Amino acid sequence: RLDCLDVSAADVRTDDLYKADTKLSNPNASKSAKKLMKFIGDNYGKNVISGQQCDGGLNSKEFKAIKKATGKTPAIMGLDLMDYSPSRVKMGASSKTVEEAIEFHKAGGIVTICWHWGAPEKFVNSGKDKDGNPAWWGNFYTENVHGMKLSKIMSNPNSADYKLLVRDIDAIAEKLKILQKNDVPVLFRPLHEASGGWFWWGSDGADAYKKLWKLVYNRLTKTHKLNNLIWVWNGQSKSWYPGDKYVDIIGEDIYPDQHQYGAQSSKFLEASKYTSTNKIIALTENGCLFDIDKAKQAGTMWSWFCVWGGEFCVKGNSLSGEYTEVEMWKRVYGHKNVLTLEDTKKYFK
């Protein structure tokens, strides 16, 4: 029995929030990083930048399938530093992320890189995981590590375990230095989805996580003088936010049900309130594409999207349609307010 129904106006974002701060947190940021941030800021609220996670660069199945179906190429390429993690290298893992990033940058594209940080080997379970795969394959997952109390480690900078984390950060720094040498600005998104707890860096609460974020930031920015990084924080919860001086852009990862094309406005508005300053808000991972017109109408134009790879995009060598129907791919990539590589290469080449 319904006794009362209250109706109120929708919480719609105002244009003032699109006037985001584009000054980078690193005062020594490179010219190319500043140029990229300006481009993102200039388009924020006006256009959405298209993006796609892949493994294989411009030759990936994802990029080829999107081009074949829509005639367009994503403006942003999502890559991963995962297999540069020392514990994975020790097991024989290798990666071409650096080479693929340089190639895409030269083509006029924008590079975003996450890091599924494989835990140091002493913490990785032996044997197989619950799915029957070697545990080290998923050594970034909390369930595949043991004996790792992050709060204890972060409180003891002189400990051997703390030094193992520094070792890993330093190894990643060497790869990022190659990108800096080639003047590749990077939308850098480490330690993502922390508040969910499924990754080890989010397994021991917000305080330990924020200390780790600041360690990564300071080690890469101040010790290694990596000035080509734009810091994209993707912790998914306000209480995990490390502070404006360590963050340039706020990202959200959202995986709705299949063929659900809503603008995800409520999460956009929630993310805009993680800090009192105006940070650019991006959809840093998504399972389905979203309706650009609905986002415009709601006043919640994500800066960019980056559809995850594999089944979220392709089946075989074609767009799968499993999460986003092929016609929706065409509609989004053909939208007048969606920027593709064909647009960005005019600006960055």
Side-chain angles (χ1 to χ4, degrees):
R1 181 171 175 267
L2 184 63
D3 294 319
C4 177
L5 179 64
D6 290 328
V7 179
S8 59
D11 186 6
V12 178
R13 172 192 165 109
T14 67
D15 288 341
D16 286 344
L17 288 178
Y18 285 137
K19 297 175 182 177
D21 181 11
T22 57
K23 183 178 180 181
L24 293 174
S25 57
N26 177 6
N28 299 313
S30 66
K31 289 182 179 179
S32 60
K34 291 177 180 177
K35 182 178 181 179
L36 174 54
M37 190 64 173
K38 184 179 186 303
F39 176 83
I40 293 171
D42 287 348
N43 282 283
Y44 190 42
K46 302 172 184 175
N47 299 301
V48 177
I49 309 170
S50 61
Q52 179 63 49
Q53 187 77 20
C54 68
D55 182 11
L58 281 167
N59 276 324
S60 66
K61 291 181 179 180
E62 290 89 350
F63 270 65
K64 287 182 176 180
I66 293 170
K67 177 71 172 181
K68 181 180 178 181
T70 70
K72 302 289 183 68
T73 304
I76 295 176
M77 179 178 289
L79 298 167
D80 201 329
L81 296 171
M82 177 175 68
D83 284 330
Y84 294 126
S85 302
S87 63
R88 299 179 70 85
V89 172
K90 187 175 182 179
M91 298 302 293
S94 61
S95 176
K96 293 185 178 179
T97 284
V98 167
E99 292 84 353
E100 290 163 359
I102 293 171
E103 178 187 35
F104 194 59
H105 169 71
K106 289 181 177 178
I110 300 168
V111 175
T112 183
I113 301 181
C114 65
W115 179 21
H116 282 88
W117 184 349
E121 52 273 21
K122 70 170 288 185
F123 299 114
V124 180
N125 294 343
S126 59
K128 297 184 178 180
D129 64 17
K130 64 180 182 180
D131 297 318
N133 297 314
W136 75 266
W137 283 13
N139 60 2
F140 40 85
Y141 285 123
T142 301
E143 65 184 15
N144 288 330
V145 303
H146 65 275
M148 192 177 194
K149 188 70 172 175
L150 188 59
S151 57
K152 181 179 178 180
I153 295 173
M154 296 311 300
S155 297
N156 293 275
N158 293 320
S159 68
D161 291 345
Y162 188 96
K163 291 175 182 177
L164 275 177
L165 297 184
V166 171
R167 176 206 68 176
D168 287 8
I169 298 167
D170 290 349
I172 292 302
E174 294 307 310
K175 301 303 179 181
L176 294 172
K177 285 177 183 177
I178 299 172
L179 297 180
Q180 179 163 262
K181 184 178 179 180
N182 284 272
D183 200 28
V184 180
V186 176
L187 296 169
F188 186 50
R189 186 173 64 98
L191 307 180
H192 64 297
E193 299 177 12
S195 63
W198 43 79
F199 296 133
W200 64 258
W201 49 86
S203 64
D204 197 20
D207 289 343
Y209 166 78
K210 286 186 278 192
K211 288 179 181 178
L212 181 60
W213 177 276
K214 292 172 185 178
L215 170 63
V216 174
Y217 183 98
N218 288 326
R219 190 78 186 173
L220 294 183
T221 301
K222 296 180 180 179
T223 303
H224 290 285
K225 302 187 186 307
L226 283 160
N227 299 322
N228 60 325
L229 306 180
I230 296 174
W231 289 80
V232 182
W233 177 79
N234 180 207
Q236 309 274 92
S237 174
K238 182 176 182 177
S239 61
W240 293 63
Y241 188 66
D244 291 337
K245 64 185 293 187
Y246 303 100
V247 173
D248 297 313
I249 293 172
I250 292 173
E252 288 289 328
D253 294 354
I254 304 175
Y255 287 82
D257 291 335
Q258 297 166 322
H259 305 163
Q260 298 300 308
Y261 307 132
Q264 306 297 338
S265 297
S266 61
K267 195 62 179 176
F268 183 103
L269 292 167
E270 179 185 335
S272 72
K273 297 173 183 175
Y274 288 162
T275 171
S276 60
T277 60
N278 283 1
K279 294 289 185 182
I280 288 170
I281 310 297
L283 188 56
T284 42
E285 285 184 29
N286 52 302
C288 296
L289 290 173
F290 64 90
D291 189 311
I292 305 299
D293 290 321
K294 288 181 179 179
K296 287 178 65 178
Q297 184 178 10
T300 55
M301 291 274 279
W302 299 90
S303 175
W304 72 81
F305 63 78
C306 193
V307 178
W308 199 249
E311 64 181 342
F312 295 100
C313 180
V314 292
K315 183 176 182 179
N317 294 315
S318 301
L319 293 177
S320 71
E322 182 177 354
Y323 288 87
T324 299
E325 295 158 294
V326 175
E327 285 306 310
M328 186 64 177
W329 282 98
K330 293 178 179 178
R331 180 179 168 189
V332 170
Y333 271 81
H335 199 284
K336 65 180 182 179
N337 295 116
V338 171
L339 302 181
T340 65
L341 181 64
E342 290 73 20
D343 300 302
T344 59
K345 67 182 181 182
K346 300 173 185 177
Y347 185 84
F348 290 112
K349 283 195 74 173

